Every structure is written in C-alpha cells, then in structure tokens.
Amino acid sequence: KYVNSPDTEAYHKAKVLYGLNITKGDIRDQKYAVVVEGELDMISSYQAGIKNVIAIKGSALTEDQIRLIGRFAERIVLCLDADFAGNEAAKRGAITAVNLNFEVKVATLVSFKDPDEIARNNPEEYLKNINEAVSLWDFLIDQIFTKYDQSTGAGKGKISHEVVPLLGMIQDNIVQAYYIEKVARRLSVQVEAVQSEV
C-alpha cells in the first residue's frame, strides 16, 4: 500500500508516517524524531541502530505529519536526500514545523546520496551526521551563501535576493533579529540595511 499508490479513503500519504507504529516509543524516549524520505531509508536506518526514525512519502513534511510527530517529540532531525536545499516543498514543510514551535535541525550527508546508502555503508558516520545536525535556518542560510561570491557587489545582491524572503518567513521576532544580524555580519553591511529589506 505504501509504494507509489494513489491516495484512497484508507490511505492518505500526507497523513501517514511510515514506521511510526514501531518507533514511536524510541522517539518519545530520545525526545526527537529522525525524519527520512522513503521506506528503504527508514528500514536501513532502523537496521543501523537509529531506532527513532520515521519516513515521509516524498520530500514534503505536511502539517498533519508534523502534528502527529508532536504527540511524541517536539524536536525533528531532517535527514533527507542530498537535494533538500533545492526542494521548495521540503523547505516549506520544514519551515512550517519551525513555525509550529518545533526545533528542526538538518543532518547533512556529505558523501552519500541518501540515508539508505549511508546506513548500509557507514552507520557510524550517519550517527555522527545526525548528532551534528544544524538548525534549519543556519542550514538554509549557509546554502545560499555557498552559492555566491559574497566579496562582490553582484554576489551580495544575489544573496540578498534569496536570503531576504527566507528571513521574512521567521515568525519569532527575536530569532528573526538574530539571523538578520548574522546575515548582515556575513555580508559586511549594516544591520539596518538587512532589516529594511526584510
């Protein structure tokens, strides 16, 4: 029923977390959920000893799934495929979770394409990546900065074009002010300049 089947009255992909029936106790005990994209990612992760793992179907975390996770933990570590930063639906889902007061971190799989591959080939590195996961905002801002040359005016303009809408999505004013200041420092510009753009 899970593999690429259309929604039915009994099965709505957007409301289901694969593996939750098995791992909910571990999620509650460890106080966070490792969220992966597919069934194989979940199974391989579990076999590699990461017991607090669940899978979404596809890359977008939905509000229904976020609320379901919230019954067991309020911290999420996203361990999605390597193209997460370029996936708008995945980013939107993660931002929704943050704005619903979840602590969301992103684990970067440096030399592997997905959790299934790293779980089978290097479970120690996988666990290290999960433990070193960074805050969603830090991850998304870093991704923008690595794309452009921040030492040039043109590069700063391109960073501004992408980072300003992102900063505008941060609903907590204190958190937003923190990241505005951080971005201004990295761009070597006045905080007021970034603030006025946001």
Side-chain angles (χ1 to χ4, degrees):
K1 89 182 186 187
Y2 291 101
V3 181
N4 297 329
S5 63
D7 276 359
T8 65
E9 283 185 33
Y11 173 55
H12 296 274
K13 287 190 201 63
K15 296 184 177 184
V16 173
L17 290 163
Y18 181 80
L20 183 65
N21 57 319
I22 295 164
T23 63
K24 61 187 175 190
D26 293 289
I27 291 169
R28 190 182 280 121
D29 293 345
Q30 296 192 48
K31 298 182 171 52
Y32 75 98
V34 176
V35 176
V36 297
E37 270 183 50
E39 301 84 6
L40 287 176
D41 290 332
M42 184 271 162
I43 293 165
S44 298
S45 301
Y46 192 84
Q47 287 174 334
I50 296 155
K51 305 291 188 190
N52 55 328
V53 63
I54 43 179
I56 53 179
K57 188 66 189 157
S59 56
L61 189 60
T62 67
E63 191 168 328
D64 284 328
Q65 290 168 330
I66 294 160
R67 293 188 188 282
L68 190 51
I69 294 168
R71 293 191 202 167
F72 308 100
E74 291 187 347
R75 287 168 56 217
I76 295 169
V77 174
L78 293 173
C79 204
L80 306 177
D81 292 0
D83 66 347
F84 167 68
N87 186 319
E88 290 305 317
K91 279 197 288 194
R92 271 198 310 276
I95 290 167
T96 299
V98 171
N99 289 332
L100 287 170
N101 294 319
F102 281 75
E103 181 189 338
V104 180
K105 292 188 168 187
V106 180
T108 308
L109 309 178
V110 183
S111 41
F112 296 92
K113 68 175 171 54
D114 59 25
D116 173 50
E117 190 177 70
I118 193 171
R120 284 185 289 109
N121 293 291
N122 197 336
E124 295 81 16
E125 187 181 334
Y126 187 17
L127 199 54
K128 183 170 175 278
N129 292 343
I130 290 170
N131 291 331
E132 292 174 356
V134 299
S135 136
L136 175 69
W137 300 121
D138 284 310
F139 174 81
L140 294 176
I141 290 167
D142 284 346
Q143 292 292 313
I144 294 167
F145 271 84
T146 55
K147 284 184 351 194
Y148 305 108
D149 178 3
Q150 63 213 51
S151 67
T152 69
K156 287 183 200 291
K158 287 175 180 170
I159 290 168
S160 169
H161 183 72
E162 286 191 37
V163 87
V164 165
L166 185 66
L167 293 170
M169 292 178 192
I170 304 175
Q171 290 181 358
D172 184 305
N173 290 338
I174 291 170
V175 175
Q176 188 187 61
Y178 168 79
Y179 282 107
I180 286 172
E181 191 179 325
K182 196 171 180 179
V183 165
R185 244 191 345 266
R186 287 181 74 171
L187 288 172
S188 306
V189 298
Q190 295 293 319
V191 172
E192 293 75 21
V194 180
Q195 178 73 62
S196 67
E197 284 299 311
V198 173

PDB file of all heavy atoms in Angstrom, residues 34-54:
ATOM      1  N   VAL A  34      14.007  11.285  13.879  1.00  0.00           N
ATOM      2  CA  VAL A  34      14.804  11.412  12.655  1.00  0.00           C
ATOM      3  C   VAL A  34      13.849  11.156  11.494  1.00  0.00           C
ATOM      4  O   VAL A  34      13.238  10.090  11.409  1.00  0.00           O
ATOM      5  CB  VAL A  34      15.964  10.391  12.633  1.00  0.00           C
ATOM      6  CG1 VAL A  34      16.718  10.466  11.305  1.00  0.00           C
ATOM      7  CG2 VAL A  34      16.917  10.631  13.806  1.00  0.00           C
ATOM      8  N   VAL A  35      13.691  12.149  10.629  1.00  0.00           N
ATOM      9  CA  VAL A  35      12.735  12.039   9.521  1.00  0.00           C
ATOM     10  C   VAL A  35      13.494  11.810   8.210  1.00  0.00           C
ATOM     11  O   VAL A  35      14.343  12.612   7.833  1.00  0.00           O
ATOM     12  CB  VAL A  35      11.864  13.311   9.412  1.00  0.00           C
ATOM     13  CG1 VAL A  35      10.949  13.236   8.192  1.00  0.00           C
ATOM     14  CG2 VAL A  35      11.034  13.490  10.684  1.00  0.00           C
ATOM     15  N   VAL A  36      13.175  10.688   7.553  1.00  0.00           N
ATOM     16  CA  VAL A  36      13.783  10.362   6.260  1.00  0.00           C
ATOM     17  C   VAL A  36      12.687  10.329   5.198  1.00  0.00           C
ATOM     18  O   VAL A  36      11.508  10.420   5.512  1.00  0.00           O
ATOM     19  CB  VAL A  36      14.554   9.016   6.327  1.00  0.00           C
ATOM     20  CG1 VAL A  36      15.718   9.109   7.310  1.00  0.00           C
ATOM     21  CG2 VAL A  36      13.636   7.858   6.701  1.00  0.00           C
ATOM     22  N   GLU A  37      13.098  10.159   3.921  1.00  0.00           N
ATOM     23  CA  GLU A  37      12.133  10.310   2.825  1.00  0.00           C
ATOM     24  C   GLU A  37      11.393   9.045   2.411  1.00  0.00           C
ATOM     25  O   GLU A  37      10.280   9.126   1.940  1.00  0.00           O
ATOM     26  CB  GLU A  37      12.843  10.880   1.595  1.00  0.00           C
ATOM     27  CG  GLU A  37      12.824  12.380   1.546  1.00  0.00           C
ATOM     28  CD  GLU A  37      13.478  12.910   0.281  1.00  0.00           C
ATOM     29  OE1 GLU A  37      13.132  12.451  -0.808  1.00  0.00           O
ATOM     30  OE2 GLU A  37      14.336  13.795   0.399  1.00  0.00           O
ATOM     31  N   GLY A  38      12.011   7.924   2.492  1.00  0.00           N
ATOM     32  CA  GLY A  38      11.357   6.748   1.921  1.00  0.00           C
ATOM     33  C   GLY A  38      11.408   5.535   2.822  1.00  0.00           C
ATOM     34  O   GLY A  38      12.112   5.514   3.831  1.00  0.00           O
ATOM     35  N   GLU A  39      10.645   4.512   2.441  1.00  0.00           N
ATOM     36  CA  GLU A  39      10.556   3.298   3.253  1.00  0.00           C
ATOM     37  C   GLU A  39      11.925   2.641   3.439  1.00  0.00           C
ATOM     38  O   GLU A  39      12.286   2.224   4.539  1.00  0.00           O
ATOM     39  CB  GLU A  39       9.599   2.278   2.613  1.00  0.00           C
ATOM     40  CG  GLU A  39       8.182   2.779   2.428  1.00  0.00           C
ATOM     41  CD  GLU A  39       7.986   3.590   1.152  1.00  0.00           C
ATOM     42  OE1 GLU A  39       8.921   3.679   0.331  1.00  0.00           O
ATOM     43  OE2 GLU A  39       6.889   4.142   0.981  1.00  0.00           O
ATOM     44  N   LEU A  40      12.702   2.531   2.344  1.00  0.00           N
ATOM     45  CA  LEU A  40      14.019   1.887   2.450  1.00  0.00           C
ATOM     46  C   LEU A  40      14.957   2.679   3.344  1.00  0.00           C
ATOM     47  O   LEU A  40      15.745   2.096   4.098  1.00  0.00           O
ATOM     48  CB  LEU A  40      14.641   1.695   1.064  1.00  0.00           C
ATOM     49  CG  LEU A  40      14.008   0.598   0.204  1.00  0.00           C
ATOM     50  CD1 LEU A  40      14.647   0.564  -1.172  1.00  0.00           C
ATOM     51  CD2 LEU A  40      14.130  -0.770   0.871  1.00  0.00           C
ATOM     52  N   ASP A  41      14.882   4.026   3.262  1.00  0.00           N
ATOM     53  CA  ASP A  41      15.693   4.866   4.142  1.00  0.00           C
ATOM     54  C   ASP A  41      15.365   4.563   5.602  1.00  0.00           C
ATOM     55  O   ASP A  41      16.250   4.463   6.449  1.00  0.00           O
ATOM     56  CB  ASP A  41      15.419   6.354   3.869  1.00  0.00           C
ATOM     57  CG  ASP A  41      15.951   6.820   2.522  1.00  0.00           C
ATOM     58  OD1 ASP A  41      16.937   6.232   2.039  1.00  0.00           O
ATOM     59  OD2 ASP A  41      15.386   7.769   1.953  1.00  0.00           O
ATOM     60  N   MET A  42      14.077   4.417   5.885  1.00  0.00           N
ATOM     61  CA  MET A  42      13.643   4.150   7.257  1.00  0.00           C
ATOM     62  C   MET A  42      14.120   2.771   7.718  1.00  0.00           C
ATOM     63  O   MET A  42      14.668   2.613   8.804  1.00  0.00           O
ATOM     64  CB  MET A  42      12.110   4.261   7.339  1.00  0.00           C
ATOM     65  CG  MET A  42      11.532   4.093   8.732  1.00  0.00           C
ATOM     66  SD  MET A  42      11.165   2.355   9.079  1.00  0.00           S
ATOM     67  CE  MET A  42      11.043   2.406  10.848  1.00  0.00           C
ATOM     68  N   ILE A  43      13.929   1.768   6.876  1.00  0.00           N
ATOM     69  CA  ILE A  43      14.288   0.393   7.247  1.00  0.00           C
ATOM     70  C   ILE A  43      15.800   0.274   7.466  1.00  0.00           C
ATOM     71  O   ILE A  43      16.257  -0.285   8.465  1.00  0.00           O
ATOM     72  CB  ILE A  43      13.794  -0.609   6.172  1.00  0.00           C
ATOM     73  CG1 ILE A  43      12.254  -0.642   6.161  1.00  0.00           C
ATOM     74  CG2 ILE A  43      14.357  -2.011   6.415  1.00  0.00           C
ATOM     75  CD1 ILE A  43      11.652  -1.302   4.917  1.00  0.00           C
ATOM     76  N   SER A  44      16.592   0.823   6.539  1.00  0.00           N
ATOM     77  CA  SER A  44      18.056   0.757   6.664  1.00  0.00           C
ATOM     78  C   SER A  44      18.540   1.498   7.909  1.00  0.00           C
ATOM     79  O   SER A  44      19.441   1.041   8.601  1.00  0.00           O
ATOM     80  CB  SER A  44      18.736   1.347   5.425  1.00  0.00           C
ATOM     81  OG  SER A  44      18.406   0.613   4.288  1.00  0.00           O
ATOM     82  N   SER A  45      17.935   2.662   8.180  1.00  0.00           N
ATOM     83  CA  SER A  45      18.314   3.440   9.366  1.00  0.00           C
ATOM     84  C   SER A  45      18.033   2.636  10.628  1.00  0.00           C
ATOM     85  O   SER A  45      18.869   2.570  11.546  1.00  0.00           O
ATOM     86  CB  SER A  45      17.543   4.762   9.414  1.00  0.00           C
ATOM     87  OG  SER A  45      17.798   5.527   8.263  1.00  0.00           O
ATOM     88  N   TYR A  46      16.872   2.023  10.674  1.00  0.00           N
ATOM     89  CA  TYR A  46      16.482   1.223  11.842  1.00  0.00           C
ATOM     90  C   TYR A  46      17.457   0.062  12.029  1.00  0.00           C
ATOM     91  O   TYR A  46      17.913  -0.223  13.138  1.00  0.00           O
ATOM     92  CB  TYR A  46      15.046   0.718  11.663  1.00  0.00           C
ATOM     93  CG  TYR A  46      14.454   0.124  12.922  1.00  0.00           C
ATOM     94  CD1 TYR A  46      13.859   0.944  13.877  1.00  0.00           C
ATOM     95  CD2 TYR A  46      14.484  -1.245  13.154  1.00  0.00           C
ATOM     96  CE1 TYR A  46      13.314   0.415  15.038  1.00  0.00           C
ATOM     97  CE2 TYR A  46      13.946  -1.784  14.314  1.00  0.00           C
ATOM     98  CZ  TYR A  46      13.359  -0.955  15.247  1.00  0.00           C
ATOM     99  OH  TYR A  46      12.825  -1.491  16.407  1.00  0.00           O
ATOM    100  N   GLN A  47      17.804  -0.612  10.924  1.00  0.00           N
ATOM    101  CA  GLN A  47      18.747  -1.734  10.993  1.00  0.00           C
ATOM    102  C   GLN A  47      20.135  -1.267  11.436  1.00  0.00           C
ATOM    103  O   GLN A  47      20.873  -2.029  12.060  1.00  0.00           O
ATOM    104  CB  GLN A  47      18.845  -2.432   9.633  1.00  0.00           C
ATOM    105  CG  GLN A  47      17.609  -3.248   9.302  1.00  0.00           C
ATOM    106  CD  GLN A  47      17.645  -3.825   7.894  1.00  0.00           C
ATOM    107  OE1 GLN A  47      18.297  -3.278   7.003  1.00  0.00           O
ATOM    108  NE2 GLN A  47      16.945  -4.917   7.687  1.00  0.00           N
ATOM    109  N   ALA A  48      20.477  -0.009  11.124  1.00  0.00           N
ATOM    110  CA  ALA A  48      21.786   0.528  11.506  1.00  0.00           C
ATOM    111  C   ALA A  48      21.806   1.018  12.955  1.00  0.00           C
ATOM    112  O   ALA A  48      22.817   1.527  13.431  1.00  0.00           O
ATOM    113  CB  ALA A  48      22.167   1.667  10.572  1.00  0.00           C
ATOM    114  N   GLY A  49      20.678   0.866  13.661  1.00  0.00           N
ATOM    115  CA  GLY A  49      20.640   1.222  15.076  1.00  0.00           C
ATOM    116  C   GLY A  49      19.993   2.561  15.384  1.00  0.00           C
ATOM    117  O   GLY A  49      19.952   2.995  16.529  1.00  0.00           O
ATOM    118  N   ILE A  50      19.497   3.258  14.354  1.00  0.00           N
ATOM    119  CA  ILE A  50      18.802   4.525  14.589  1.00  0.00           C
ATOM    120  C   ILE A  50      17.322   4.186  14.714  1.00  0.00           C
ATOM    121  O   ILE A  50      16.606   4.053  13.730  1.00  0.00           O
ATOM    122  CB  ILE A  50      19.103   5.522  13.456  1.00  0.00           C
ATOM    123  CG1 ILE A  50      20.599   5.848  13.465  1.00  0.00           C
ATOM    124  CG2 ILE A  50      18.290   6.798  13.615  1.00  0.00           C
ATOM    125  CD1 ILE A  50      21.157   6.308  12.161  1.00  0.00           C
ATOM    126  N   LYS A  51      16.900   3.999  15.960  1.00  0.00           N
ATOM    127  CA  LYS A  51      15.566   3.446  16.226  1.00  0.00           C
ATOM    128  C   LYS A  51      14.463   4.498  16.262  1.00  0.00           C
ATOM    129  O   LYS A  51      13.286   4.159  16.193  1.00  0.00           O
ATOM    130  CB  LYS A  51      15.561   2.689  17.562  1.00  0.00           C
ATOM    131  CG  LYS A  51      16.624   1.590  17.675  1.00  0.00           C
ATOM    132  CD  LYS A  51      16.343   0.427  16.762  1.00  0.00           C
ATOM    133  CE  LYS A  51      17.269  -0.751  17.006  1.00  0.00           C
ATOM    134  NZ  LYS A  51      17.145  -1.780  15.980  1.00  0.00           N
ATOM    135  N   ASN A  52      14.842   5.777  16.402  1.00  0.00           N
ATOM    136  CA  ASN A  52      13.832   6.845  16.500  1.00  0.00           C
ATOM    137  C   ASN A  52      13.585   7.479  15.130  1.00  0.00           C
ATOM    138  O   ASN A  52      13.524   8.679  14.974  1.00  0.00           O
ATOM    139  CB  ASN A  52      14.274   7.914  17.506  1.00  0.00           C
ATOM    140  CG  ASN A  52      15.651   8.490  17.201  1.00  0.00           C
ATOM    141  OD1 ASN A  52      16.517   7.789  16.679  1.00  0.00           O
ATOM    142  ND2 ASN A  52      15.857   9.740  17.537  1.00  0.00           N
ATOM    143  N   VAL A  53      13.434   6.613  14.110  1.00  0.00           N
ATOM    144  CA  VAL A  53      13.334   7.073  12.727  1.00  0.00           C
ATOM    145  C   VAL A  53      11.937   6.826  12.163  1.00  0.00           C
ATOM    146  O   VAL A  53      11.275   5.842  12.513  1.00  0.00           O
ATOM    147  CB  VAL A  53      14.418   6.381  11.851  1.00  0.00           C
ATOM    148  CG1 VAL A  53      14.205   4.872  11.805  1.00  0.00           C
ATOM    149  CG2 VAL A  53      14.464   6.954  10.440  1.00  0.00           C
ATOM    150  N   ILE A  54      11.487   7.747  11.322  1.00  0.00           N
ATOM    151  CA  ILE A  54      10.216   7.587  10.605  1.00  0.00           C
ATOM    152  C   ILE A  54      10.405   8.121   9.189  1.00  0.00           C
ATOM    153  O   ILE A  54      11.299   8.931   8.946  1.00  0.00           O
ATOM    154  CB  ILE A  54       9.054   8.370  11.279  1.00  0.00           C
ATOM    155  CG1 ILE A  54       9.523   9.756  11.710  1.00  0.00           C
ATOM    156  CG2 ILE A  54       8.420   7.578  12.397  1.00  0.00           C
ATOM    157  CD1 ILE A  54       8.476  10.603  12.359  1.00  0.00           C
TER     158      ILE A  54
END
